[in-house]
Amino acid sequence: CASSTLCLCENVERLKDSYIEGKEIIFFETKKELRDLIRYYLKHEKEREAIAKAAYERTIVKHTWKQRLEEIFNVIYVE
């Protein structure tokens, strides 16, 4: 997502908390679904680029190393 390309990811709960499905990230369950999604987004360039741009914008604002380290330290020092 930080590379300004479409993120096709396995359906992982943690990522669902970080990105809006269908608007910033695309999830798949099976290899067939992944293949179908790849084919779809290769044919729909504007939609692919819009999702990639939205994910990139969220990433550079909400998912920096600084924020990740703050989360880790909060967990470590709270427990």
Side-chain angles (χ1 to χ4, degrees):
C1 296
S3 64
S4 295
T5 58
L6 179 67
C7 293
L8 293 171
C9 299
E10 287 187 88
N11 198 352
V12 177
E13 236 9 82
R14 174 74 168 105
L15 288 175
K16 286 184 173 184
D17 295 337
S18 301
Y19 294 94
I20 300 170
E21 185 174 0
K23 296 202 181 283
E24 299 170 335
I25 195 167
I26 305 298
F27 293 111
F28 65 90
E29 297 282 343
T30 65
K31 289 179 183 179
K32 181 188 179 313
E33 186 179 8
L34 173 60
R35 185 184 67 232
D36 293 344
L37 287 166
I38 290 169
R39 288 179 178 158
Y40 175 85
Y41 285 107
L42 284 173
K43 291 179 181 177
H44 297 88
E45 183 176 355
K46 289 185 181 193
E47 186 177 356
R48 180 181 76 232
E49 289 175 351
I51 294 169
K53 181 181 180 197
Y56 175 76
E57 289 172 355
R58 178 178 294 267
T59 300
I60 63 171
V61 171
K62 298 282 186 180
H63 302 290
T64 64
W65 280 107
K66 180 179 185 267
Q67 290 164 322
R68 287 291 168 258
L69 289 172
E70 286 174 356
E71 288 178 21
I72 291 167
F73 289 132
N74 284 337
V75 169
I76 292 171
Y77 292 117
V78 169
E79 295 179 355

